Amino acid sequence: MNLAAIQQDFRAWLVSGTEEAAARFAPEARAGLSVYQNNYRASLMACLAESFPRTRMWIGEQTFRSVAATLIDARPPDSWSLDHYAAHFPAALAEALPHAPEAGELAMLEQALTDAFVGPDAPALRPDQLSEIDWDTAILQLVPTARLLRHTTNAASIWSALTDEQAPPPAALLPEPRMLLIWRTEHISCFRALENWETESTQRAIHGISFADLCARLVGRSGEAEGIQAAGAWLAQSTTDRLIRTLPLEA
Amino acid sequence: MHSFGLGLRKPHYTQFLETGVPVDFVEVISENFMIEGGRPRDILRRVRERHPVALHGVSMSIGSAHGLDRAYLARLRALVDEIEPLFVSDHLSWSRTPGFNSHDLLPLPYTRQALDIVCSNIAQAQDALGRTMLIENPSSYLTFAESEMPEWEFLRAVSDRTGCELLLDVNNIHVSAVNHGFDAHHYIAALPLDRVRQIHLAGHSQGETLLIDTHDRPVPQQVWSLFAHVMGRLSHPVAIMIERDDAIPPLPDLLAELDIARALLPQRIAA
């Protein structure tokens, strides 16, 4: 048998663990096959458990392991990095617990914070650098770790309580969905809920927006005085949060 | 002069960054740092300012019948260029088929076809990395009826054909020797020991019927004995380290194990 066929058989055994898959190997290989099968599942389970500590606490160990086992059965890993496997868990959890939407949103928040933790480095604009900016040409762009999550539940409050080792609030739907902004400042991942007025500016700044365009959009939304004031407030908040960098305007 | 090192693990980051840990080098798991940025890369850069670093991979999958992952190689190359490591190593094993990654070091059948594939993959990796790799002998829990040569002959042929050097894991020799019933001393005698650049020492645990390479306990006496035997046969300097990945003890415990390794070196009489 050639190497590719042996490796296909081995994969089938690891993923299915069936008698039929084991029968492709010699009977004396059975004990060893069991070791590899155990290693395979244990490493994926450990990866998920380490990636979602607060979600585990929230839904309980038994439910967590049950959902994780279902994911492992349904979706073998395909990346060289185990960390990439964890990205599949929030959707699996949302599907498994449709009546507990906060669980999936909590897992998605944990995953987003982890992604930000190891995302690209990029120096953020400091408040004392604002005076050096050529506002006619500068493009404002959020740091590359920034991303938005849409939440319909109080999962962020649950995350905060669990992180502070406080009793978490009961799960609840929000009066209306809100956007969370996740990013990394220095070496710490963080997030905050966006007010409605700042959501569009933040979304556009992920890809880059000139300050003039930002002002024009806020003026269009709220009128001259309030729009300019909002643009100033957005810039001040984003700079304090170490969220933005400036790029030269493309020719 | 032999050098002595430890694996850099999270519980010891602060000590490695803030104190003068008495080691000659540290080894890290390459994949843990093949990320875009953030604290882990920063820690590695700062540790690198204090110690030479060896990059030890677990996901290259040099035994894959379908070849290597080019994106993986590109990421590893970027890390190599930044860290300028002492060594770059991975295992004589496979973990990947198209669309699947087992995240385990799976055994190879030691066939002539597998030898061609492994050599081709190592050549590709060495070209992509711009340097010679170290290949580590694996521990394994089954053998294949298809094998046409023993592991030591396969390893020797791999090194002959690709110019790669060897990372000798003494615990892995012991684990596989017990599991498969071969003579560990014969294995060592048959290897091209002049190609060994690094040595791993670790502990294992007893499974139901097999020894399992767990790296979760101190180096046991059988492995120390085998290590002393290896060192008695080496005539050039190598980098020796304790490899601990689970149930990680305080740093002084691992440094004490390095002292045992030092004490087991053959006593040379000065001319």
Side-chain angles (χ1 to χ4, degrees):
Chain A
M1 190 187 292
N2 71 32
L3 184 61
I6 289 173
Q7 292 181 344
Q8 277 305 111
D9 286 348
F10 219 109
R11 168 186 174 162
W13 159 252
L14 293 177
V15 171
S16 72
T18 62
E19 286 298 324
E20 185 187 352
R24 306 280 295 173
F25 297 86
E28 54 270 27
R30 191 55 189 260
L33 286 173
S34 295
V35 172
Y36 289 112
Q37 164 80 201
N38 182 63
N39 285 353
Y40 169 73
R41 295 187 71 86
S43 68
L44 296 178
M45 187 65 79
C47 156
L48 295 174
E50 287 167 18
S51 300
F52 300 99
R54 290 165 189 80
T55 306
R56 265 170 81 198
M57 288 169 68
W58 177 251
I59 65 176
E61 189 68 19
Q62 194 175 351
T63 304
F64 185 90
R65 293 184 73 84
S66 167
V67 175
T70 302
L71 174 64
I72 292 167
D73 286 339
R75 181 153 202 161
D78 58 5
S79 165
W80 59 266
S81 170
L82 253 182
D83 291 343
H84 298 167
Y85 191 66
H88 302 301
F89 186 72
L93 190 57
E95 188 180 331
L97 304 177
H99 303 300
E102 83 290 349
E105 291 187 354
L106 179 60
M108 199 164 286
L109 177 56
E110 284 202 278
Q111 180 64 34
L113 290 166
T114 299
D115 290 344
F117 186 70
V118 295
D121 297 321
L125 194 65
R126 298 189 310 270
D128 63 289
Q129 292 175 307
L130 287 175
S131 59
E132 301 165 13
I133 305 296
D134 178 350
W135 295 104
D136 292 332
T137 61
I139 296 290
L140 302 177
Q141 187 177 43
L142 299 194
V143 291
T145 54
R147 63 174 286 197
L148 294 171
L149 279 184
R150 182 176 181 273
H151 267 197
T152 62
T153 72
N154 63 338
S157 300
I158 294 169
W159 184 94
S160 297
L162 292 171
T163 300
D164 295 340
E165 299 182 354
Q166 303 292 315
L173 289 173
L174 298 172
E176 60 180 18
R178 69 177 178 183
M179 302 301 286
L180 291 184
L181 173 62
I182 293 98
W183 78 102
R184 187 181 77 230
T185 175
E186 296 296 334
H187 295 311
I188 309 292
S189 296
C190 44
F191 70 89
R192 69 179 175 86
L194 295 178
E195 303 291 340
N196 281 339
W197 66 268
E198 58 181 343
T199 297
E200 187 195 344
S201 301
T202 304
Q203 274 171 331
R204 290 186 180 278
I206 284 179
H207 303 292
I209 185 172
S210 71
F211 189 62
D213 190 7
L214 184 104
C215 289
R217 288 175 182 280
L218 286 168
V219 166
R221 175 191 171 102
S222 310
E224 182 80 19
E226 202 175 319
I228 296 295
Q229 188 180 20
W234 182 90
L235 184 61
Q237 180 70 54
S238 300
T239 311
T240 303
D241 286 342
R242 307 301 306 278
L243 247 174
I244 54 174
R245 53 185 180 154
T246 58
L247 303 174
L249 194 63
E250 285 179 19
Chain B
M1 288 284 284
H2 300 299
S3 54
F4 295 84
L6 291 176
L8 178 68
R9 302 294 181 259
K10 276 183 192 170
H12 304 144
Y13 279 175
T14 304
Q15 285 156 289
F16 272 101
L17 288 172
E18 295 179 2
T19 66
V21 178
V23 293
D24 301 313
F25 70 98
V26 298
E27 183 191 84
V28 300
I29 303 298
S30 310
E31 289 80 3
N32 290 349
F33 299 91
M34 288 164 59
I35 51 179
E36 293 178 280
R39 187 186 290 278
R41 281 292 279 260
D42 181 61
I43 286 170
L44 182 58
R45 279 182 212 115
R46 289 158 60 202
V47 169
R48 178 67 185 85
E49 289 168 8
R50 291 169 168 261
H51 302 284
V53 170
L55 295 178
H56 183 51
V58 294
S59 292
M60 187 178 285
S61 193
I62 61 163
S64 273
H66 294 85
L68 301 183
D69 178 341
R70 288 183 184 164
Y72 172 94
L73 287 177
R75 282 219 180 202
L76 180 56
R77 174 65 192 249
L79 185 63
V80 166
D81 287 347
E82 181 178 339
I83 299 303
E84 299 179 335
L86 194 56
F87 305 118
V88 180
S89 60
D90 210 305
H91 301 79
L92 182 65
S93 64
W94 68 279
S95 53
R96 196 171 62 81
T97 62
F100 175 73
N101 199 312
S102 69
H103 296 286
D104 195 10
L105 303 169
L106 301 175
L108 282 164
Y110 296 127
T111 61
R112 283 185 287 277
Q113 187 218 7
L115 180 61
D116 289 343
I117 288 169
V118 166
C119 289
S120 169
N121 287 344
I122 291 175
Q124 183 190 353
Q126 292 186 146
D127 280 350
L129 300 175
R131 59 183 296 152
T132 302
M133 287 186 65
L134 308 192
I135 300 301
E136 177 178 344
N137 58 297
S139 55
S140 61
Y141 311 116
L142 60 79
T143 56
F144 294 91
E146 289 87 349
S147 287
E148 297 165 323
M149 64 191 93
E151 184 172 294
W152 49 88
E153 198 176 314
F154 193 95
L155 257 180
R156 175 182 279 278
V158 165
S159 184
D160 283 346
R161 284 171 54 174
T162 67
C164 76
E165 296 175 319
L166 300 179
L167 192 174
L168 193 65
D169 189 312
V170 180
N171 178 57
N172 286 352
I173 296 175
H174 174 72
V175 166
S176 290
V178 171
N179 287 346
H180 307 314
F182 64 74
D183 180 350
H185 293 86
H186 177 71
Y187 186 115
I188 291 162
L191 283 179
L193 292 180
D194 58 316
R195 308 266 176 77
V196 174
R197 293 288 169 268
Q198 190 182 353
I199 290 187
H200 274 175
L201 293 163
H204 55 264
S205 42
Q206 175 66 57
E208 211 169 301
T209 58
L210 297 165
L211 292 188
I212 314 292
D213 181 32
T214 45
H215 297 185
D216 62 350
R217 59 197 65 197
V219 179
Q221 186 51 48
Q222 305 96 313
V223 175
W224 284 128
S225 299
L226 209 51
F227 168 70
H229 174 75
V230 168
M231 297 312 293
R233 298 177 68 97
L234 286 180
S235 54
H236 62 282
V238 292
I240 299 158
M241 61 163 278
I242 308 294
E243 194 181 32
R244 190 69 173 260
D245 294 312
D246 210 348
I248 294 171
L251 202 50
D253 292 12
L254 298 176
L255 292 171
E257 285 197 279
L258 277 185
D259 285 339
I260 296 173
R262 287 187 183 93
L264 286 170
L265 297 184
Q267 301 300 307
R268 308 279 188 208
I269 298 169

